[in-house]
């Protein structure tokens, strides 16, 4: 595993460290500083949560960028440092090698559970899930160990948001297998519906149908506006990240496949060479379709009440999907 982690920093500051462990330790200084100082250092990120609007479309997405540090510098510095510590940095157990890797990049409430179970039926990719979200399991080598025995097919696959991507980078998976990585970017055209779903799930802690809600959701203009900015920011960060890897990547829009027509997703996988399954189809995992209930009651109100900044985020998001 490479021991170089160059340039993991925020905006105005740049460190050149010998290992991911070093960068995590020294970034602890940033974690202890004030929010205003952090914004001055990491000037792409607003309150460490979502991008400043002006940063959208300005991040360098050159596919010539290959180093781990340059891939990671677009993520929040404090989050990277925390994850590096959590996965063990350069001391993380090594990953087994596979013929290829398929990574679904997504932001929460975009339909990833639905698409992942469908792709498992058509492609020799084993079980697609958020295998890399647990830093503790990676640090202990549990994920590495079971990936080969229980999770993979001809290819190893996982779906990931920012947490999963940084875990993959910090634990050395990307460095060891970047030349075999292939990406799908799953996005949802209806960002307002996605924001409503996100806020309701966060308030009730009911992220899946098989979990019990802890309470009733309450409409909050501020939460919805922040959710729109965070979704758009996450989509942009993952888009730029995929571009910086220089690896094959295709965008899939949830609304184009949610009616049962998987054509766009299957075409995307075929184009990047994901191996089709042969023989018996895997037993389908049970999964709920993305809930469409109880969104209209907030949707109309939010469209009336949202501020000019949020309207600009939505316009910018529409432009991003066309990129």
């Amino acid at each position: 595993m490479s021991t170089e982690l160059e340039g993991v920093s925020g905006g105005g500051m740049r460190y050149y460290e010998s290992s991911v462990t070093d960068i995590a330790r020294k970034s602890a200084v940033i974690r202890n500083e004030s929010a205003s100082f952090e914004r001055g250092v990491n000037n792409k990120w607003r309150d460490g949560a979502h991008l400043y609007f002006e940063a959208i479309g300005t991040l360098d997405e050159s596919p010539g960028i290959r180093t781990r540090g340059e891939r990671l510098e677009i993520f929040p510095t404090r989050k990277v440092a925390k994850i590096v510590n959590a996965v063990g940095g350069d001391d993380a157990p090594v990953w087994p090698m596979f013929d290829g890797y398929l990574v679904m990049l997504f932001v929460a409430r975009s339909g990833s559970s639905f698409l992942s179970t469908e792709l498992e039926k058509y492609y020799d990719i084993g079980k697609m899930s958020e295998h890399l979200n647990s830093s503790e399991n990676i640090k202990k080598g549990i994920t590495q160990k079971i990936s080969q025995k229980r999770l993979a097919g001809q290819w190893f696959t996982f779906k990931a948001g920012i947490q999963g991507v940084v875990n993959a980078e910090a634990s050395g998976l990307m460095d060891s297998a970047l030349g075999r990585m292939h990406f799908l970017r799953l996005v949802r055209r209806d960002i307002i519906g996605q924001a409503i779903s996100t806020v309701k799930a966060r308030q009730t802690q009911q992220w899946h149908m098989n979990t019990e809600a802890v309470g009733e959701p309450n409409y909050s203009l501020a939460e919805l506006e922040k959710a729109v900015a965070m979704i758009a920011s996450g989509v942009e960060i993952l888009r730029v990240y995929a571009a910086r890897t220089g690896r094959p990547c295709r965008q899939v829009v949830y609304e184009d496949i949610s009616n049962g027509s998987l054509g766009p997703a299957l075409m995307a996988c075929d184009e990047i060479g994901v191996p089709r399954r042969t023989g018996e189809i895997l037993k389908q995992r049970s999964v709920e379709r993305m809930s469409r209930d109880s969104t209209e009651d907030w949707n109309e109100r939010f469209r009336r009440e949202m501020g000019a900044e949020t309207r600009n985020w939505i316009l910018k998001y529409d432009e991003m999907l066309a990129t």
Side-chain angles (χ1 to χ4, degrees):
M1 173 178 173
S2 170
T3 59
E4 289 299 320
L5 180 60
E6 300 177 3
V8 176
S9 68
M13 295 182 68
R14 182 175 296 273
Y15 299 111
Y16 293 91
E17 305 294 344
S18 61
S19 70
V20 290
T21 305
D22 288 340
I23 188 63
R25 186 185 69 252
K26 294 189 179 182
S27 292
V29 174
I30 296 177
R31 294 201 302 274
N32 294 328
E33 295 292 350
S34 66
S36 61
F37 176 80
E38 181 185 349
R39 285 196 295 272
V41 174
N42 198 351
N43 58 20
K44 294 183 286 291
W45 289 88
R46 181 171 175 173
D47 300 324
H50 59 270
L51 293 169
Y52 280 105
F53 183 81
E54 293 76 15
I56 300 292
T58 67
L59 303 177
D60 183 0
E61 57 188 274
S62 167
I65 296 178
R66 299 298 179 122
T67 66
R68 180 170 43 174
E70 288 171 317
R71 295 192 301 269
L72 279 173
E73 70 176 0
I74 57 177
F75 297 97
T77 304
R78 295 198 299 175
K79 189 172 188 68
V80 171
K82 182 178 180 180
I83 290 175
V84 168
N85 278 325
V87 302
D90 287 327
D91 295 325
V94 297
W95 289 88
M97 295 297 293
F98 300 93
D99 292 346
Y101 301 77
L102 177 64
V103 185
M104 183 192 297
L105 302 175
F106 75 104
V107 175
R109 317 307 284 176
S110 57
S112 66
S113 295
F114 162 69
L115 181 56
S116 64
T117 56
E118 292 298 316
L119 294 183
E120 290 169 8
K121 295 190 295 184
Y122 291 90
Y123 295 96
D124 190 8
I125 56 176
K127 180 180 178 181
M128 174 180 275
S129 191
E130 295 175 64
H131 311 312
L132 272 73
N133 270 14
S134 174
S135 301
E136 182 179 359
N137 285 347
I138 294 173
K139 185 174 184 177
K140 292 179 178 178
I142 296 174
T143 306
Q144 293 88 323
K145 184 176 180 180
I146 67 173
S147 63
Q148 199 159 25
K149 295 182 178 180
R150 291 168 29 200
L151 301 177
Q154 186 177 343
W155 280 23
F156 177 58
T157 184
F158 60 96
K159 55 180 185 170
I162 289 178
Q163 173 80 23
V165 167
V166 180
N167 273 348
E169 287 282 3
S171 65
L173 175 59
M174 289 301 178
D175 270 352
S176 66
L178 188 61
R180 300 178 184 182
M181 289 286 171
H182 305 75
F183 296 94
L184 288 181
R185 291 178 46 250
L186 177 63
V187 297
R188 188 173 171 185
R189 187 176 291 116
D190 181 12
I191 189 174
I192 294 178
Q194 187 174 356
I196 292 172
S197 179
T198 299
V199 170
K200 288 188 173 184
R202 185 180 298 122
Q203 289 181 351
T204 64
Q205 289 301 296
Q206 189 177 30
W207 295 94
H208 302 284
M209 293 292 290
N210 59 358
T211 58
E212 187 174 348
V214 298
E216 292 296 322
N218 296 300
Y219 177 90
S220 168
L221 176 62
E223 287 186 62
L224 289 169
E225 290 194 312
K226 185 172 183 178
V228 166
M230 291 187 70
I231 291 166
S233 297
V235 169
E236 174 72 346
I237 286 295
L238 294 174
R239 182 187 73 82
V240 173
Y241 171 79
R244 286 189 174 196
T245 68
R247 296 297 300 156
C249 180
R250 297 292 185 275
Q251 175 177 280
V252 176
V253 178
Y254 174 75
E255 285 83 355
D256 293 342
I257 60 172
S258 60
N259 62 357
S261 176
L262 293 173
L266 301 182
M267 181 181 297
C269 289
D270 289 341
E271 286 177 350
I272 58 180
V274 184
R276 288 270 187 163
R277 285 187 56 81
T278 58
E280 185 180 358
I281 300 297
L282 285 177
K283 181 180 179 181
Q284 184 177 1
R285 288 192 287 132
S286 61
V287 62
E288 75 277 8
R289 294 290 294 271
M290 181 176 292
S291 175
R292 297 178 183 274
D293 63 349
S294 66
T295 57
E296 292 302 321
D297 54 339
W298 287 13
N299 195 303
E300 184 177 348
R301 180 177 175 182
F302 181 61
R303 289 179 183 275
R304 289 196 314 268
E305 296 180 355
M306 73 174 80
E309 182 179 359
T310 299
R311 295 183 188 279
N312 287 335
W313 271 110
I314 293 172
L315 291 174
K316 178 62 72 172
Y317 182 76
D318 291 339
E319 294 175 8
M320 288 161 53
L321 295 196
T323 301

